Amino acid sequence: MKFNMPSNNRRVFMLHTLVGASVVATAHQAHASSETDAVKETDAYPKSMGFRLNTANVDKVKYPRHTLEQRCSECQLYSSKAGDPTGNCSFFKRVVPVDGWCRNFKQRKATS
Ligand code: SF4
């Protein structure tokens, strides 16, 4: 089958094809980055920092000064929108859960 499109229609067709491919690529990239941005306990560097997805699972022998009140949401290096179960950690520069913890925890200063 042969398409006999006038030159302008061919350009429009090509433009739509390129835009469509670009939208699909961008959507795929966004999905991929949301999966890879989360800090994992098994990643080498977070593991070396004692990172846990839940502060209740921190090794109490290895980190005797850790308390259950220490969690990412109480850390100076954590930021998130209200009600969001995850936020950004400026130390790892990745996403962490509100209940996470690592040995770089810095108590957030009380606001008055
Ligand atoms: S630096 Fe703070 S916010 Fe980042 S993982 Fe450690 S405790 Fe959580």
Side-chain angles (χ1 to χ4, degrees):
M1 178 192 258
K2 186 174 179 182
F3 293 102
N4 286 324
M5 292 185 207
S7 164
N8 274 351
N9 285 351
R10 221 178 355 246
R11 277 191 210 119
V12 169
F13 174 76
M14 291 296 286
L15 183 63
H16 280 235
T17 303
L18 287 172
V19 169
S22 170
V23 166
V24 169
T26 303
H28 178 74
Q29 219 168 16
H31 180 68
S33 72
S34 66
E35 286 176 1
T36 56
D37 279 355
V39 176
K40 296 181 183 79
E41 292 177 346
T42 52
D43 291 344
Y45 187 51
K47 192 174 180 178
S48 74
M49 295 301 292
F51 175 77
R52 290 293 183 195
L53 292 168
N54 191 315
T55 194
N57 298 329
V58 171
D59 185 334
K60 285 154 188 52
V61 174
K62 211 169 178 182
Y63 305 105
R65 291 169 49 180
H66 166 266
T67 67
L68 287 176
E69 288 72 37
Q70 295 177 2
R71 46 202 296 256
C72 291
S73 61
E74 299 303 315
C75 179
Q76 291 177 19
L77 306 173
Y78 179 85
S79 62
S80 82
K81 293 180 195 149
D84 195 335
T86 62
N88 294 312
C89 166
S90 63
F91 176 66
F92 288 120
K93 298 191 181 346
R94 288 163 68 190
V95 174
V96 293
V98 290
D99 291 328
W101 182 89
C102 83
R103 68 186 173 102
N104 195 43
F105 174 84
K106 309 243 183 287
Q107 182 64 53
R108 187 184 296 268
K109 291 183 178 83
T111 53
S112 52

